[in-house]
Amino acid sequence: MVYRRGDEVDVFLVHPGGPFWVKKDEGSWSIPKGEYEEGEESLDVARREFLEETGFEVNGDFVEVGQIKQAGGKVVMAWAVEGDFDPALLRSNTFEMEWPPRSGRMQKFPEVDRGEWFSVDAARVKILKSQEPLLDMLLAVLGSSGAARI
């Protein structure tokens, strides 16, 4: 989870790419995340996935936020780091799928089609409901470390 501080804390969320998500907005955004292989460290995976999904390399003092279980059963371990970048410069990796269904035609789509900074309150509306607890966990971590004005 990349956050930035100003008058309030903003978080960077991404919108999934592909035809299923094209007309979905509220409740469909996510933190950049991905699968990890056996033996991989969760922080290494978080940094790699952020780079793959956004094109932005994140560096700094990472803080473990915690983990949640998404509605589909996927366990997400989240890390936070302060950063700032222009969402207009986002460049995502791609995936291939048959589209339209049963057409036999394979098409490429970006894994994420856009990213945006949201205040925590706005993020509560945009983020997948199963990831919403991550916002409170982030605020708790930042508040306990004195790292942000909340």
Side-chain angles (χ1 to χ4, degrees), residues 131-149:
Q131 289 185 15
E132 187 178 356
L134 292 172
L135 300 171
D136 292 322
M137 295 164 75
L138 172 66
L139 292 178
V141 167
L142 295 180
S144 67
S145 69
R149 293 170 284 167

Side-chain angles (χ1 to χ4, degrees), residues 36-140:
Y36 41 112
E37 306 292 325
E38 188 174 328
E40 279 188 294
E41 295 294 325
S42 62
L43 178 56
D44 294 337
V45 173
R47 293 180 72 186
R48 180 191 73 228
E49 290 294 327
F50 196 91
L51 177 62
E52 288 178 0
E53 292 185 12
T54 67
F56 303 121
E57 189 170 347
V58 288
N59 295 300
D61 296 325
F62 288 84
V63 178
E64 185 176 324
V65 172
Q67 70 179 30
I68 52 109
K69 190 175 204 175
Q70 293 191 158
K74 183 179 188 177
V75 174
V76 175
M77 175 61 150
W79 293 83
V81 65
E82 190 169 2
D84 196 5
F85 36 78
D86 182 353
L89 301 176
L90 183 140
R91 298 291 175 263
S92 177
N93 58 346
T94 60
F95 69 94
E96 235 182 12
M97 66 179 282
E98 182 181 18
W99 190 258
R102 297 177 298 284
S103 67
R105 188 169 155 219
M106 299 300 287
Q107 293 192 52
K108 279 189 177 181
F109 298 97
E111 192 169 345
V112 301
D113 59 17
R114 64 191 180 276
E116 193 171 324
W117 289 104
F118 295 100
S119 69
V120 171
D121 287 341
R124 290 183 193 288
V125 175
K126 299 289 186 176
I127 200 167
L128 294 165
K129 287 301 161 203
S130 57
Q131 289 185 15
E132 187 178 356
L134 292 172
L135 300 171
D136 292 322
M137 295 164 75
L138 172 66
L139 292 178

